Amino acid sequence: MIRDFLRSRAFGLVVPLIAVAFGLIAGAVIMLLSGNNPIDGYSGLIGGIFGDMYYFGETLRAMTPLILSGLAFAFAFRTGLLNIGVEGQVIVGWFAAVIAGISWDAPGIIHLPTALMAGALAGALWAFVPGILKAKLHVHEVIVSIMMNYIALHVVNSLIRGVFLDTGQRTAFVPDSASLSSEWLQGVTDFSRLHWGFLIALAAAVVMWFLLWKTKKGFEFRAVGFNQNASLYAGMNVSGNITSSMSISGAFAGLAGAVSGLGTYGYIEIFNTFTNLGFDGIAVALLGNSSSIGIVLSAFLFGGLSEGSGNMQAAAGVAPELVEIIIALIIFFVASSYLIRWIYKRLDSIRKGEK
Amino acid sequence: GENNETTDVNENAGNNNAENNAENNENNDGEEAAEGDFSAKMVTDTGGVDDRSFNESAWEGLTTFNEDYPETEVDYIQSDDSADYQPNLNQLAREGTDITFGIGFLMLDDIRTVAEQNPEQNFALVDDEVLDGDDEPVDNVANILFAEHEGSFLTGVVAAMHTETDHVGFIGGVESPLIEKFRNGFEAGVNYVDEDIEISSQYAQDFNDPNQGQQIADSFYGNDADIIYHAAGDTGNGLFTEAIDRREGGEEVWAIGVDQDQALTEGEYSDGNVILTSMVKRVDQAVYEVAEMTMNGEFPGGETLEFDLEDQGVGIAETQDNVSDEALEAVEEYEAEILNGEIEVPQTEDELEEFLADL
Amino acid sequence: MDLFLIILYTIVPAALISATPLLLTAMGGLFSERSGVVNIGLEGLMVFGAFSGILGTLFFESLGFGMLSPWLGILTAAIIGMIFSLFHAVASISLRADQIVSGVALNILAVGLGVYITREIFDAGQTPTISARLFRQDVPLLSEIPIIGDMFFSRVYPTTWVAFLLVIVVWFVVFKTPFGLRLRSVGEHPAAADTMGINVNRMRYIGVMLSGLFGGMGGAIYAITAAGSFSGGTITGQGFMALAVLIFGKWHPFGAFGAALFFGLAQALSISAQSIPGLQDVPQVFMLILPYVVTILALAGVVGRATPPKAMNTHYEKGSR
Amino acid sequence: MDYVIEMNNIRKEFPGIVANDNITLQVKQGEIHALLGENGAGKSTLMNVLFGLYQPEQGEIKVRGEKVDVTDPNVADRLGIGMVHQHFMLVEKFTVTENIILGSEPKSRGAIDINKARKDVKEISDRYGLRVDPDAKIEDISVGMQQRAEILKTLYRGSEILIFDEPTAALTPQEIYELMSIMRNLINEGKSIILITHKLKEIQEICDRVTVIRRGKGVGTVDVEGMTETGLAEMMVGREVTFEVQKGEAQVGETVLNLKDLVVEDARGYDIVDHLNLEVKSGEILGVAGVDGNGQTELVEALTGLREVKSGSISLNNKDITDYKPRKVTEAGVGHIPQDRHKYGLVMDFTIGENILLQQYYQKPYTNNGIMDYKKLYEKAESLIEEYDVRTASSHTLARSLSGGNQQKAIIAREVDRSPDLLIAAQPTRGLDVGAIEFIHDKLVEERDSGKAVLLVSLEMDEVLNVSDRIAVIYEGKIVEIVDAKDTDENELGLLMAGGKQEAGEAE
Ligand SMILES: Nc1ncnc2c1ncn2[C@@H]1O[C@H](COP(=O)(O)OP(=O)(O)OP(=O)(O)O)[C@@H](O)[C@H]1O
Ligand SMILES: Nc1ncnc2c1ncn2[C@@H]1O[C@H](COP(=O)(O)OP(=O)(O)OP(=O)(O)O)[C@@H](O)[C@H]1O
Ligand SMILES: [Mg+2]
Ligand SMILES: [Mg+2]
């Protein structure tokens, strides 16, 4: 009985929920220890997520690129690759999409898709490098993708600075024909920056699920991820699969950048540091167990917590870093689901013993 | 609902006698408070409210304002990344804040958007000018600029007066028009004193890499520069590290700080302080003034206030222990020349070239 | 030729400075990964090391320890880093969390906790600047050696030489002592180690805690020598670079030494390029990406495949195969 | 009676299964005691209990008459119990010496005294006749030498009671022969041995007594003398077992596989397959016999497209398939039961269903226009699971959790079901119990009887002799002789495998 439950899908949901609860309790303890009122803190936080349509819209807006960068990491992860380079792929994707947006004119029906494609392609290209090196020369993809992050940052900054600078630190705005922003979505959410990219991100989650679990290619990606030799034996093109799954991962990352550029901002600016969208994507993916649904949910949690933290500070004077602590602890508890299972089993056997 | 027509920048900015205003408004204030507290709040950029730079300075302005007018309410919201600017500005606007300051030119576009969405609210942007789609100023936004080039010119003068090797340096954070103003002003100042002084300059392309700052400083000092000015945020801390290190090793080198009187917090070594002087940008004063004007119903919406040498919006730091009297005299002299228009300090590369050609 | 030497005189000392924290942190990663625990959390360990190193220095300064303070600060960071690393150890060893996930959580936690505590203590997002510092010094005698002396032994931080000595110590410990043999066996084939009576989990705990110790020192040295204070932006990516150094160096102390130095050189070159005739006209962006591009080329061309410890990223349960 | 080891009424449970159910095992001083049982009967579990890796739920253990509590391998070590595990417990990147001293290293001034260690290893290996190179890395040495290193590990610790868990499964006949004499040496030195093996012949040859367990329960202990192989097998399986492979005359047809002057390099660039010529015809099983390392592995890899051919040609049904990629080889009509089932045969983290369709997933009806139809895939897998008697909880179970025999059955189901013209079976029964072996041999014969060509590569002389119609002996990358299985015997084969023919030829 317990064994069945512990293995069941339902339990798969219970673990993250308990983990979130643990994380929040730990956060409350930290607030108490540091002399803050946890109830005020959390009501500020929740107010900052659900308080009104504006905040809710902003939360959805914040989670949009996180879904995509989470998918990017998860896709590679599912195929046996560690794509630490999501960050760099986000940056080049952002850049390419905005440049495709500002450098020519076309009707929206062509312009917007091209700009999005440009972003995805740039991300894919950036990920192709560690992919091909891994496939052909067995170079560890982790280092190459870390290096590619820095290269992306410097190259993109220098191109903006040298070629595309408009005012201040940014390029010109993309025209409406290449913009994802939606007056309607802004209208219903009381002027939040929610944009069509949100739907693209949700669609991408479906795409990833479909690709991995419904297509022939997905079968091969997963097989190669688990066992290259057996995949070779079964006639799969191993190095081709490594390269393409890395590139697909990069395309998701590039889209994450593209929706930020075409949706939230409308431009790209010189980055003083990394955007962190990519690094947060790693955490989102891991928290979501690298599954599409899990990623959407954990991106919501991430987006919500970080949006809400502003209000938490304003309303209760709690430093926004608390949210990072809570996120880290939630990840910790999810990863340690063994602990939760163990506690559950213990409780169960105590209950039985009493009967 | 203050409606201000665009007025002449200087005319308005000239009206900056803070103390005077403060006294004048004591009476006024009681009425305002009765209607509901006047609130002035700010959104920091990603540096945070305690960045020992302009965010901190702006917050100081607001806290002083609050001390002077205790019935008012002041507060800030911190931004963790640039995607936070808009929600944070929006949040303050929604709370009905009487004036919301955006600190840093990175907030330019966000403040425009939020201001357009909340036409009843007042905003002010530090370090840039908000223009709408037709390049016209936005009615409910006041723009606060500083003449960094003028202040940097004076530090350039100090550097030129102090250099023993006739070689000085400049370290920039990320290359951008704003940081260019610092550099061009500095170079103009140095070469105005002595055309033959060599100036090395380099961008770290990062505001947050003290290690690189140190290495750049190392290579400048190693190539005989003895005074280095920085406009590079945390990267500049590496400059101080290197300067202290060389000082301890007996070398006579100097560093010049930026934005605040950095000698107060940085640069100490066993036998003094390596910071020769700093280029101070009085964000506090600017914020204070704009808040006060707004409270008095004189919100300078749609206007651009440039705080320059004349209004003491920029200048060299109060800590002057290391500066020679000679240099101070020169500073005074050139300051007067700038004020009376004899010297027009260049802001851009092109202007600098022209300026140097005319020497 | 002379010019070449002059270039070396500028960039070698600079390379040593940037290599030091990377190298120490990579040594930490080496202990952890050699014992079979992946350590993506090196970044977080450095962050926490930087935080506790600065805090420790400030604390000892205030007690009047003077010039001893930074050293005590580094020691503090080593100890606190070790304690902090228990987070990763407990999760990934005892609670069988995925090691990569746990490392990522560690990174997020370090920044959050470091800045949060900083705010609580100083009411600001960054600490004050330390005043007791470490200074670059000439190494007695050695700095007199012609050419080499000026390059390697003049104006170096004492921490650099401590780090280099530690590399030798690490090498000795890992490859020459029973402890090292056991540590490596646990990372290669935990079941085999278990049958030889070695407590697998205990070795792994030690491995991870040593990574905390070294990572903490690495972060502290970076903060104390270069930054002088701690804020959320003090460590941005150095831990990942240290991970790259470890992999590039093929999980070997001397390999990591070479990799760190190589990396430091590339970086120093990119910074000094503007004062080197011939390189002055190269657009800065090429110089900025140089270290990273060269690393990729080196991996692709010369260094080739690196095989990680075999049991890395696996949990050990008795009796499982 | 003085038993060195007494395990009384041992019970050990794993979640959902009782691996040892009230088993009693008594080992006399100075004997070689066999432990016999099918795959999964519980032999390894029982030994792991004795060695302290598992704690029993019930039962007692006595060592030299004294009741002991073996809480971990260190306790076993102190009691003089050493174990050579079924799956080698060697660190591949370490040297032989390092592996042996691990956990009890000689020290001098804090460092390992590697010279003393090497000397000690040398001394012990000389004493028991265990040839090893103390400085060689495990990954570079033969399986036989790895085995000897494993034994040395126990001797180095001074173990008096040695447990060998299936030590011969991966050894060549020569190595088995050597191992036997080593075991005799050990007994002469006064040690006692518990030997687990599926090879009844070995039991007969070397063991004194045998304890048989079946499905976790003890069946009994008997003296080996007077027991026949059939008797032992019956005791173990609980039914009659035939050892002779039942097969009729071969109906030999056209040439299916034709290899001409085939040259293949090994990883170090050495011509390990060296101008090899061979034909396999439909309706026959051609066995390739040879000592390990004479190019068998590379030959099979070249045939199946996993390794590049340097020169020469491979043709299948008169069509040149040299340098075809694996998938094209498969589609041309080749089935391949790989030698290493974990490395090549299975994706261990895929379900057993996905593994069974690993060669067909991309074809209709499992894939239509790039979209998979998992429903069809699992339907097919389930029918094969049924047909080939793969014992698994469901078709959605991960391959990892199946026992070796059942994993192998799944591979055979996959390869045979496609009904390839040529079936290449490399070491298809390694490590399996007699029941499973019987099943697999029957399948090979069935294929041959339906007119397919079968190429059987095996290191087990028995298997080659029993199953094949013709036997090709491979030596140093060449086929040195082809003999009719009916007309040859172990002696002749053994001689040929050792290069006998060539030497004879050279002498002429
Ligand atoms: N670690 C384990 N966890 C759970 N069940 C196990 C474990 N090890 C063994 N078992 C169970 O115990 C039974 C006995 O396994 P064991 O390995 O002892 O068999 P064996 O007799 O050694 O088989 P073989 O001849 O294949 O080596 C298995 O059928 C399996 O169900
Ligand atoms: N760690 C484990 N957890 C759960 N079940 C296990 C475990 N190890 C083995 N088993 C079970 O034990 C049974 C037999 O396993 P075992 O490995 O002994 O088979 P085997 O035939 O000896 O395989 P091999 O040929 O690989 O040695 C399988 O049914 C498997 O499910
Ligand atoms: Mg077994
Ligand atoms: Mg077995």
Side-chain angles (χ1 to χ4, degrees), chain D residues 257-265 271-278 294-305 307-315 320-323 455 474 476-479:
Chain D
L257 177 73
N258 196 352
L259 306 179
K260 285 213 183 88
D261 273 334
L262 195 66
V263 180
V264 182
E265 284 182 355
D271 289 348
I272 184 110
V273 174
D274 187 10
H275 295 91
L276 180 143
N277 289 290
L278 187 65
N294 275 287
Q296 295 98 317
T297 308
E298 289 78 5
L299 172 63
V300 170
E301 286 178 357
L303 289 182
T304 50
R307 186 176 283 274
E308 220 176 292
V309 171
K310 188 176 174 191
S311 67
S313 74
I314 304 170
S315 63
D320 188 17
I321 62 161
T322 320
D323 284 333
L455 180 70
I474 188 168
E476 294 192 340
K478 288 189 176 66
I479 301 296

Side-chain angles (χ1 to χ4, degrees), chain D residues 402-420:
Chain D
L402 265 62
S403 77
N406 286 301
Q407 290 172 346
Q408 189 73 343
K409 282 188 198 167
I411 294 174
I412 288 172
R414 176 176 76 208
E415 297 304 312
V416 170
D417 175 64
R418 289 184 291 117
S419 143

Side-chain angles (χ1 to χ4, degrees), chain D residues 33-282:
Chain D
H33 191 111
L35 194 55
L36 182 62
E38 292 183 273
N39 290 129
K43 307 176 297 289
S44 300
T45 305
L46 187 67
M47 291 302 99
N48 284 334
V49 167
L50 178 59
F51 189 59
L53 280 172
Y54 296 150
Q55 300 311 305
E57 270 79 45
Q58 180 196 306
E60 59 162 18
I61 300 174
K62 287 185 182 171
V63 177
R64 295 179 201 91
E66 260 177 61
K67 193 163 176 296
V68 293
D69 199 3
V70 194
T71 47
D72 66 70
N74 281 324
V75 177
D77 186 27
R78 258 174 268 135
L79 291 168
I81 302 171
M83 180 160 172
V84 175
H85 295 265
Q86 178 169 1
H87 306 270
F88 286 164
M89 294 292 181
L90 293 169
V91 181
E92 289 196 344
K93 282 189 201 153
F94 285 8
T95 64
V96 170
T97 305
E98 285 171 333
N99 268 288
I100 292 172
I101 61 172
L102 181 62
S104 44
E105 306 83 356
K107 269 178 280 191
S108 83
R109 277 185 262 115
I112 297 173
D113 189 345
I114 200 73
N115 291 326
K116 176 169 167 19
R118 198 183 289 124
K119 223 182 75 209
D120 292 351
V121 168
K122 194 113 190 58
E123 208 175 277
I124 304 170
S125 66
D126 287 348
R127 184 152 128 227
Y128 295 97
L130 292 158
R131 283 180 301 104
V132 290
D133 171 2
D135 294 320
K137 286 225 171 101
I138 297 296
E139 60 192 2
D140 297 333
I141 62 179
S142 70
V143 178
M145 198 185 279
Q146 292 181 7
Q147 177 81 265
R148 294 195 288 275
E150 278 278 15
I151 300 172
L152 278 171
K153 268 166 54 173
T154 64
L155 297 176
Y156 180 79
R157 263 145 241 262
S159 304
E160 290 298 317
I161 302 146
L162 302 174
I163 306 165
F164 290 92
D165 192 351
E166 284 192 47
T168 58
L171 297 190
T172 64
Q174 275 83 353
E175 286 169 334
I176 293 175
Y177 179 77
E178 283 171 33
L179 180 65
M180 299 267 180
S181 67
I182 290 166
M183 284 198 259
R184 288 198 190 92
N185 276 347
L186 292 168
I187 297 298
N188 291 340
E189 294 274 334
K191 309 204 184 275
S192 314
I193 293 176
I194 303 173
L195 172 68
I196 299 177
T197 178
H198 290 297
K199 295 177 186 166
L200 305 174
K201 251 194 206 159
E202 292 169 4
I203 297 180
Q204 287 207 307
E205 194 164 315
I206 196 169
C207 297
D208 302 303
R209 298 194 308 147
V210 52
T211 295
V212 181
I213 54 179
R214 191 194 304 153
R215 310 239 162 105
K217 292 195 170 67
V219 175
T221 305
V222 293
D223 283 337
V224 170
E225 205 153 303
M227 284 298 285
T228 61
E229 274 186 46
T230 357
L232 285 172
E234 272 184 46
M235 226 177 140
M236 170 172 109
V237 190
R239 65 177 163 88
E240 206 176 308
V241 186
T242 46
F243 288 95
E244 289 291 297
V245 177
Q246 301 293 314
K247 59 173 188 189
E249 267 310 297
Q251 303 293 317
V252 181
E254 301 282 292
T255 298
V256 174
L257 177 73
N258 196 352
L259 306 179
K260 285 213 183 88
D261 273 334
L262 195 66
V263 180
V264 182
E265 284 182 355
D266 68 4
R268 290 160 302 173
Y270 170 78
D271 289 348
I272 184 110
V273 174
D274 187 10
H275 295 91
L276 180 143
N277 289 290
L278 187 65
E279 279 185 29
V280 187
K281 298 197 166 64
S282 71

Side-chain angles (χ1 to χ4, degrees), chain C residues 159-318:
Chain C
T159 43
T160 300
W161 285 98
V162 172
F164 289 0
L165 287 177
L166 280 175
V167 170
I168 296 172
V169 172
V170 169
W171 168 79
F172 181 80
V173 167
V174 171
F175 290 98
K176 295 289 154 191
T177 66
F179 168 79
L181 191 71
R182 293 172 187 197
L183 185 90
R184 285 182 292 135
S185 74
V186 162
E188 290 287 336
H189 197 330
D194 193 11
T195 61
M196 304 301 266
I198 293 161
N199 186 333
V200 174
N201 284 355
R202 196 176 70 196
M203 290 311 290
R204 289 190 165 179
Y205 262 88
I206 296 175
V208 173
M209 287 171 75
L210 284 173
S211 78
L213 184 134
F214 279 91
M217 285 206 301
I221 288 178
Y222 182 85
I224 289 172
T225 55
S229 63
F230 170 81
S231 71
T234 304
I235 302 290
T236 45
Q238 287 93 328
F240 287 110
M241 293 307 305
L243 186 67
V245 161
L246 176 65
I247 300 173
F248 196 0
K250 296 188 171 182
W251 290 272
H252 194 285
F254 297 155
F257 179 81
L261 218 57
F262 171 85
F263 203 82
L265 277 176
Q267 202 170 26
L269 182 65
S270 74
I271 291 168
S272 313
Q274 300 206 344
S275 43
I276 296 172
L279 290 179
Q280 272 161 338
D281 304 327
V282 179
Q284 195 184 0
V285 61
F286 290 115
M287 283 301 155
L288 287 170
I289 64 174
L290 178 81
Y292 313 107
V293 173
V294 173
T295 305
I296 292 178
L297 291 179
L299 279 168
V302 196
V303 189
R305 183 198 298 247
T307 30
K310 217 171 175 182
M312 207 160 88
N313 207 10
T314 59
H315 302 126
Y316 179 65
E317 293 166 55
K318 261 191 195 303

Side-chain angles (χ1 to χ4, degrees), chain A residues 7-347:
Chain A
R7 281 190 188 161
S8 68
R9 263 171 190 248
F11 195 76
L13 260 178
V14 170
V15 169
L17 287 181
I18 296 180
V20 169
F22 277 6
L24 292 177
I25 292 171
V29 171
I30 294 174
M31 280 192 259
L32 274 176
L33 287 180
S34 55
N36 292 300
N37 183 340
I39 297 175
D40 290 352
Y42 281 138
S43 39
L45 184 69
I46 290 168
I49 305 172
F50 299 105
D52 60 31
M53 276 318 281
Y54 173 79
Y55 288 133
F56 191 65
E58 275 298 319
T59 297
L60 298 187
R61 193 272 312 155
M63 73 184 272
T64 300
L66 291 178
I67 294 177
L68 288 162
S69 60
L71 292 173
F73 184 79
F75 187 84
F77 197 62
R78 285 270 179 202
T79 60
L81 298 163
L82 271 187
N83 185 2
I84 307 290
V86 175
E87 181 66 36
Q89 294 144 22
V90 168
I91 292 177
V92 295
W94 186 329
F95 176 75
V98 168
I99 298 311
I102 58 177
S103 52
W104 67 305
D105 254 327
I109 196 139
I110 302 169
H111 202 182
L112 181 57
T114 352
L116 287 168
M117 281 298 293
L121 253 165
L125 191 76
W126 219 250
F128 174 82
V129 175
I132 190 96
L133 289 176
K134 163 96 177 182
K136 298 288 180 204
L137 299 169
H138 306 284
V139 181
H140 207 300
E141 76 273 15
V142 168
I143 328 183
V144 179
S145 52
I146 291 174
M147 300 297 139
M148 292 298 286
N149 286 342
Y150 289 95
I151 298 176
L153 185 69
H154 288 303
V155 168
V156 164
N157 275 352
S158 117
L159 283 173
I160 301 173
R161 194 180 300 122
V163 188
F164 298 103
L165 204 63
D166 187 57
T167 54
Q169 298 233 81
R170 64 162 173 81
T171 62
F173 275 89
V174 295
D176 284 346
S177 58
S179 168
L180 280 171
S181 63
S182 148
E183 275 178 26
W184 182 72
L185 285 176
Q186 290 176 353
V188 285
T189 57
D190 213 355
F191 291 131
S192 83
R193 283 171 296 167
L194 184 60
H195 53 79
W196 293 124
F198 182 63
L199 299 187
I200 294 177
L202 292 183
V206 177
V207 167
M208 179 178 97
W209 167 82
F210 187 82
L211 195 57
L212 275 180
W213 301 103
K214 293 289 151 193
T215 67
K216 184 191 85 173
K217 265 287 165 204
F219 185 94
E220 296 182 350
F221 287 144
R222 290 186 295 122
V224 171
F226 285 129
N227 185 342
Q228 295 189 13
N229 289 311
S231 306
L232 190 69
Y233 158 88
M236 300 172 194
N237 175 354
V238 170
S239 58
N241 270 311
I242 291 177
T243 321
S244 17
S245 59
M246 199 70 184
S247 304
I248 292 173
S249 162
F252 281 121
L255 264 185
V259 297
S260 298
L262 304 176
T264 307
Y265 290 84
Y267 56 83
I268 184 168
E269 64 193 359
I270 295 171
F271 292 113
N272 289 330
T273 58
F274 285 119
T275 67
N276 274 333
L277 286 176
F279 297 125
D280 289 346
I282 297 176
V284 166
L286 295 175
L287 186 57
N289 194 26
S290 298
S291 77
S292 290
I293 295 181
I295 287 169
V296 172
L297 293 177
S298 72
F300 179 74
L301 184 74
F302 264 72
L305 288 179
S306 58
E307 278 310 304
S309 69
N311 198 49
M312 181 176 74
Q313 187 197 18
V318 178
E321 281 77 19
L322 182 75
V323 158
E324 287 180 49
I325 301 178
I326 294 174
I327 287 175
L329 292 176
I330 292 174
I331 297 174
F332 166 79
F333 286 121
V334 169
S336 310
S337 67
Y338 176 79
L339 176 73
I340 296 173
R341 280 165 209 274
W342 185 81
I343 294 174
Y344 189 86
K345 264 197 230 166
R346 263 299 154 99
L347 289 178

